[in-house]
Amino acid sequence: MTVSALPSAPLHRRLFAMLYDALLLLAILFIASAIPLIFTGGEAIEGHNLLLTGYFLLICFGFFGGFWTHGGQTLGMRAWRLQLIRDNAGALDWLAALLRFLSGLPGWLVLMLGLAVYFNPQIQLPGILRWLQNLPHGSIVLIGLLWLGFDNWPNGWRERITHTRVILLPKDRG
């Protein structure tokens, strides 16, 4: 059986792989957050710093892009026997990885926003997002989870945009 003929990965496996990868990425971001402190003499950096946000996004893209372009599997995907392939069964290049990363950001941003509001109800959201504070706090988290679920559904819009597919690899018969 060719790789392109393998079935699409089920949603529950994708979500567990995302959780696994999120824990790994959190550890990497924790370590990476020490580097900017060198330039500030150990002083905390204001939360609305665009340069710092860009730095962390670059770290996240490097994590996912590096794995996707070198074998099509993050560590979480490897643990759950998932692989990201192109529709033509070729390897992902950095441009396709960037497009996949950027098209996945909205779901993660909604989820993170929901978690921030859920755990800190007094948080002041900027301008257009302020109306979200009137919603029940858990509903934003639910919206983010649903968005991620539909975003990672087989043949979802992100997979159509990037011409990729996450497949379920067979168990080793060894």
Side-chain angles (χ1 to χ4, degrees):
M1 177 180 283
T2 64
V3 172
S4 59
L6 290 170
S8 292
L11 183 59
H12 73 280
R13 283 184 170 271
R14 290 173 184 232
L15 292 175
F16 283 124
M18 278 188 244
L19 178 62
Y20 189 106
D21 287 333
L23 293 173
L24 293 170
L25 185 56
L26 186 63
I28 291 169
L29 290 172
F30 182 75
I31 293 167
S33 68
I35 294 172
L37 293 177
I38 294 169
F39 300 105
T40 65
E43 294 294 320
I45 299 171
E46 188 175 318
H48 302 295
N49 186 313
L50 289 178
L51 187 61
L52 187 63
T53 301
Y55 168 70
F56 286 132
L57 281 172
L58 187 62
I59 300 275
C60 293
F61 172 64
F63 175 84
F64 288 108
F67 282 116
W68 291 339
T69 58
H70 294 90
Q73 291 179 294
T74 62
L75 295 175
M77 293 171 79
R78 189 170 293 154
W80 287 92
R81 294 191 347 259
L82 307 178
Q83 186 175 15
L84 178 65
I85 61 168
R86 293 202 79 156
D87 287 345
N88 62 8
L92 244 66
D93 58 16
W94 281 98
L95 182 59
L98 179 62
L99 188 57
R100 185 169 177 84
F101 178 79
L102 291 175
S103 63
L105 279 180
W108 283 105
L109 292 176
V110 170
L111 179 63
M112 293 298 115
L113 178 66
L115 289 172
V117 170
Y118 183 78
F119 288 112
N120 185 4
Q122 283 74 38
I123 194 169
Q124 290 299 312
L125 296 177
I128 195 167
L129 299 175
R130 196 158 291 138
W131 67 272
L132 291 172
Q133 289 182 281
N134 297 328
L135 295 174
H137 300 292
S139 65
I140 305 171
V141 176
L142 182 61
I143 291 167
L145 286 172
L146 289 173
W147 190 325
L148 284 175
F150 286 116
D151 185 30
N152 284 283
W153 200 262
N155 298 318
W157 68 278
R158 185 163 64 148
E159 293 189 350
R160 290 180 188 182
I161 289 171
T162 59
H163 303 286
T164 58
R165 197 163 67 95
V166 179
I167 57 169
L168 176 61
L169 298 172
K171 289 183 182 179
D172 289 337
R173 300 187 193 269

